[in-house]
Amino acid sequence: MSAAGSLLAAVPAAGALLLTVAMRPREVGTVAPLPLAVVRAALLTGVYAVLVVELLGALHALTRPAFAAAWLLFLAAAATAAGLRQRRTTRTAPTLTAAPRPVPVGAVVSGGSADPPAAVERGATGPDPTPTRAVRAPSGLLAVALDAWRTAGRGERLLVGAIGGLVLLELLVALLAEPNNFDSQTYHLPKVEHWVAQGDLDFWPTAIHRQVTIPPGAEYLLLHLRLLTGGDHLYNLVQWAAGVLCLLVVARITAQLGGSRRAQLLTAFVLATTPMVVLQATSTQTDLVCAAWVTCAATLVLDGLRRRTGWDTVLGLGAATGLTAVTKTSGLIAVGPLLLLWGLAQLRLTLAASTAPPGPTATSAASPSPAAASGDRRSRPVGGLARTVGASVLILLVAAVVVGPFLARVTAEFGHPLGPPRLRESIPMERHDPLSILVNALRIGHTAFDTPLAPLRRAGAEAIIDGAGAIGVDPQDRAITFGREIFPEPAWYPDEDRVAFPLTGALVLIGAVVALARPRRIDPEQAGPLRAYAVVVLAAVLLHTSMIKWQPWGNRLILYAVVLAVPLAGLWLDALFRRRRANPGRQGARRSVATLTAVTVLATSALAGVLALSYGFPRRLVGDGSVFTTSDWDTRFLRRPQWADEFRWAATAVRDSGARRIGLVQQNDNWEYPWWLLLRQPDGGSPDLVALQSVLPERPPADPASVDAIVCTGSRPACTKLVPAGWRLEFRGYVGYALPPGR
């Protein structure tokens, strides 16, 4: 990566940071204002990135100069907005001052949320019923963070250190490791290369339908890095940044549900040590990106439970919905219930406002904010049934602007917005009777809670298989099972595509049950929001198990729901520790046992996170395949080491032949990306690769006679059928090539 590429790659990050400054909430009573500003900046940056790709793609201008100009414009606009915000804050400082307030309990994770004294006394964060304009010196956030660190206990400091250490080590791995995810070699990264080669987003003939049918939101972000830097060296940072965003947002959700600083740190710790999160944070998969957008929607929805939503938040909900849809449609399984909760809350607040008596006694959480009362149009509350309906329509319209162009291309190509029948029937459940859904849910749960204890795995699987037979459901039925996979499949090993999360899952399950059945045990003042949030989490899990077939790598598909549910675990753990101190005697002794068990689980969770980072597959810090001792090329092939030399062998022969137009022969799950790397032009330009097979009815493949060489992966018989007569075909294991006479 060149120095110019490094500087250009820093422009989007700098713009997002400036947007964070510009989008700080104006009211002191806002829960966790800094994470909220980060959420707003992330959503705006994400939407901008998607729309830039769509616009420049429509103009056939997916080029480095065009993208550089777009991001420089973004940086200038963000800097202007940040400067205007800073000047406005400075100008209002002499006249709008706030009364002295205690140091907030959520300072470390929430970025200096200022809470009312009552909330501080009970160890929770919550909105101030009488917010005033925020006045904070430039060094205020740092001063609050330092003061919070000084007042933190040893346990809280350990949590911060563990979270920070894991995040920094993940960053190191993300920077050192080459992209080597299996799916990325097949369709995530080839998709990006096709766009670069074409200069637009038009579909192309391909034997791998996922290159054009799977939502491309995460790949849009990779495309920016590809064009700005000229390579894939920073690709892993997209998922790493998504993981950091998830940590910030789940901590804020915990604060919104009444969680103290310790509860927020516990939430972030549980998520940060989840092996699936640790491994995906250094990957070019897309599940953490999807989870980040889902949690952004969740935190905005929670802001609307006790006050009528401003138009800026409505736009944010639309952006989060659209970004989720364009990244991974399964994330909408959670966004849907979240939006339903938001709509019901807004209607309840509208009804409460219409029936409340006039005068000072009518003030409530549903009252307009001071900014709205003073005529600030940007934060004017959505009030009344008509406004709530209008806001709902606006959310859908904003989402449609983000995901609509991709859906339009898919519909035009396949006649259906969800793609061809092959895609619609392979992943979604094809049976929806209660017994089939029950069996599917049990199998998903078995895989999610898998452990290294083989007898336990076998006993659980046998119970599910026998139980399914007893109720007349085939546990291997293709209508509820992906492809030709067979249940059960071990999932305990720290592999980014399938690693289980039994510890996180157990904590989340306990937290959800308590929040549903006895939310007052967690926080008497937040019983309603806690139960509502737990219902949303439960609905998302139930919908997932009734809509998505079991598959061995299903744990990563449900990651968005795990991230969404983690705040319930943090809140329950904090309540457990708090109640132990408040209950001496025999009851306190029983609680001490429970507390000791919880501490043991947390320690084991930390160990699991460290082991996943150290020995996880296919990127690790130590052992065989370490990012420190393995070459760049071999790192790319850690999934299939035997293929590394085979690809090089075939590519060298094709390059030496002088071939310019090269045909591709491959099957649906074969690796295509290595060809884009090995056959790149001497000047760094994209090779002229064309498919000799196509699963797109309206996109016929190239004629084998029109190419100068053919490269093949997978099946030799499939390659032989397409090689013209008289050509020389060579095959070595997985990879082959064919050249015409005289080459």
Side-chain angles (χ1 to χ4, degrees):
M1 182 173 59
S2 65
S6 300
L7 290 175
L8 287 175
V11 171
L17 289 175
L18 288 169
L19 276 183
T20 301
V21 175
M23 293 188 169
R24 288 175 298 169
R26 299 183 180 183
E27 290 77 29
V28 168
T30 301
V31 177
L34 180 57
L36 177 58
V38 172
V39 167
R40 292 172 174 176
L43 290 174
L44 183 54
T45 304
V47 168
Y48 182 81
V50 169
L51 295 183
V52 163
V53 171
E54 292 289 357
L55 177 60
L56 295 180
L59 297 175
H60 304 281
L62 298 180
T63 63
R64 187 180 192 184
F67 273 64
W71 281 111
L72 289 173
L73 177 63
F74 178 83
L75 179 63
T80 301
L84 291 175
R85 174 61 193 277
Q86 200 66 26
R87 280 198 292 272
R88 187 180 299 114
T89 301
T90 303
R91 187 169 57 250
T92 58
T95 56
L96 293 175
T97 58
R101 307 175 65 83
V103 176
V105 295
V108 171
V109 177
S110 300
S113 172
D115 308 300
V120 174
E121 288 175 4
R122 68 180 180 87
T125 55
D128 190 338
T130 57
T132 58
R133 294 281 184 174
V135 180
R136 183 174 293 157
S139 61
L141 288 176
L142 179 59
V144 169
L146 290 175
D147 190 63
W149 178 260
R150 285 193 296 268
T151 60
R154 181 180 303 175
E156 292 175 343
R157 292 186 179 186
L158 284 174
L159 292 174
V160 172
I163 296 166
L166 284 171
V167 169
L168 290 177
L169 286 175
E170 288 162 7
L171 175 60
L172 178 65
V173 174
L175 290 172
L176 293 178
E178 302 298 318
N180 61 0
N181 173 263
F182 194 103
D183 284 348
S184 296
Q185 307 282 3
T186 300
Y187 67 96
H188 290 309
L189 304 189
K191 187 185 302 188
V192 175
E193 294 301 324
H194 278 286
W195 294 332
V196 173
Q198 296 176 173
D200 57 41
L201 300 174
D202 290 345
F203 291 164
W204 52 89
T206 179
I208 304 173
H209 75 86
R210 291 175 294 174
Q211 291 183 358
V212 296
T213 57
I214 299 294
E219 291 89 339
Y220 281 174
L221 303 180
L222 297 180
L223 176 62
H224 287 273
L225 291 176
R226 169 67 174 85
L227 288 172
L228 293 176
T229 67
D232 60 10
H233 310 289
L234 300 181
Y235 277 6
N236 293 331
L237 292 186
V238 171
Q239 281 260 108
W240 178 83
V244 173
L245 181 58
C246 285
L247 292 176
L248 289 173
V249 179
V250 296
R252 181 172 195 263
I253 290 173
T254 305
Q256 290 173 290
L257 294 173
S260 66
R261 179 174 64 191
R262 183 177 61 188
Q264 296 169 53
L265 290 172
L266 285 168
T267 297
F269 176 83
V270 171
L271 182 62
T273 56
T274 301
M276 178 66 76
V277 174
V278 171
L279 293 169
Q280 289 236 0
T282 63
S283 171
T284 47
Q285 265 294 4
T286 62
D287 304 286
L288 268 182
V289 178
C290 173
W293 301 136
V294 170
T295 52
C296 284
T299 194
L300 295 179
V301 164
L302 289 178
D303 278 339
L305 292 188
R306 290 183 170 175
R307 66 170 182 267
R308 288 177 286 182
T309 302
W311 292 112
D312 52 354
T313 302
V314 170
L315 293 174
L317 286 170
T321 303
L323 289 169
T324 301
V326 81
T327 301
K328 211 174 187 73
T329 50
S330 57
L332 294 176
I333 294 174
V335 173
L338 284 167
L339 292 180
L340 179 60
L341 174 63
W342 171 84
L344 293 174
Q346 293 298 296
L347 291 176
R348 179 184 63 82
L349 293 172
T350 297
L351 180 62
S354 64
T355 58
T361 58
T363 58
S364 69
S367 302
S369 66
S374 63
D376 188 342
R377 295 183 179 180
R378 287 172 297 182
S379 58
R380 182 175 295 172
V382 181
L385 178 61
R387 280 183 172 272
T388 301
V389 173
S392 303
V393 172
L394 181 58
I395 290 172
L396 297 179
L397 288 176
V398 172
V401 169
V402 177
V403 72
F406 168 71
L407 293 181
R409 288 193 297 274
V410 173
T411 304
E413 190 71 33
F414 300 104
H416 195 287
L418 297 181
R422 181 177 184 177
L423 178 63
R424 301 197 305 270
E425 296 170 2
S426 61
I427 297 178
M429 288 274 286
E430 298 176 77
R431 290 180 56 178
H432 296 91
D433 56 285
L435 295 181
S436 295
I437 293 174
L438 174 62
V439 171
N440 193 54
L442 291 173
R443 294 183 305 165
I444 290 175
H446 179 274
T447 304
F449 285 84
D450 191 21
T451 71
L453 302 176
L456 181 62
R457 180 190 313 118
R458 286 195 298 269
E462 289 172 1
I464 293 173
I465 292 172
D466 293 343
I471 59 177
V473 177
D474 179 5
Q476 315 299 347
D477 186 353
R478 297 303 102 189
I480 62 173
T481 305
F482 180 86
R484 299 178 181 178
E485 305 300 328
I486 301 297
F487 172 84
E489 184 74 22
W492 65 267
Y493 185 79
D495 183 299
E496 66 174 355
D497 286 336
R498 61 180 65 193
V499 62
F501 30 81
L503 298 177
T504 301
L507 293 174
V508 162
L509 182 61
I510 295 172
V513 169
V514 175
L516 284 169
R518 297 186 177 181
R520 294 185 180 277
R521 286 198 170 189
I522 296 177
D523 191 333
E525 298 182 25
Q526 297 284 340
L530 274 169
R531 182 171 283 158
Y533 189 80
V535 167
V536 167
V537 170
L538 177 62
V541 172
L542 292 178
L543 287 172
H544 184 98
T545 56
S546 65
M547 297 174 68
I548 306 296
K549 294 177 179 177
W550 175 87
Q551 47 200 285
W553 44 89
N555 287 341
R556 68 176 181 82
L557 299 184
I558 203 170
L559 182 60
Y560 70 92
V562 175
V563 176
L564 191 67
V566 162
L568 298 175
L571 288 163
W572 172 74
L573 286 169
D574 182 61
L576 178 65
F577 297 146
R578 190 172 63 245
R579 289 171 67 87
R580 181 188 69 84
R581 292 186 177 183
N583 289 276
R586 183 177 299 178
Q587 186 178 8
R590 290 197 299 268
R591 295 195 179 280
S592 295
V593 174
T595 301
L596 180 61
T597 303
V599 170
T600 303
V601 170
L602 289 175
T604 308
S605 181
L607 178 61
V610 171
L611 290 176
L613 187 59
S614 301
Y615 296 98
F617 196 73
R619 291 165 304 280
R620 57 178 51 169
L621 286 172
V622 297
D624 292 339
S626 166
V627 294
F628 297 114
T629 60
T630 309
S631 69
D632 293 348
W633 185 251
D634 289 336
T635 297
R636 295 180 185 275
F637 286 86
L638 284 175
R639 284 284 187 191
R640 299 291 187 271
Q642 67 275 21
W643 295 350
D645 291 337
E646 294 178 10
F647 270 99
R648 272 183 165 169
W649 161 76
T652 299
V654 170
R655 284 199 313 270
D656 292 346
S657 73
R660 300 183 63 84
R661 182 175 166 87
I662 303 164
L664 284 173
V665 178
Q666 55 195 3
Q667 287 73 58
N668 184 57
D669 206 31
N670 290 173
W671 285 19
E672 179 182 314
Y673 186 58
W675 299 126
W676 290 96
L677 298 175
L678 291 167
L679 299 175
R680 189 167 291 180
Q681 301 294 333
D683 61 356
S686 298
D688 187 7
L689 293 176
V690 295
L692 302 185
Q693 309 141 290
S694 179
V695 294
L696 278 66
E698 304 300 323
R699 311 272 175 175
D703 185 349
S706 69
V707 301
D708 304 320
I710 295 174
V711 292
C712 309
T713 52
S715 170
R716 178 168 185 158
C719 185
T720 303
K721 291 179 181 178
L722 292 169
V723 173
W727 284 39
R728 174 170 58 94
L729 173 63
E730 300 284 345
F731 228 91
R732 185 181 291 179
Y734 178 77
V735 177
Y737 70 90
L739 295 173
R743 286 187 179 269

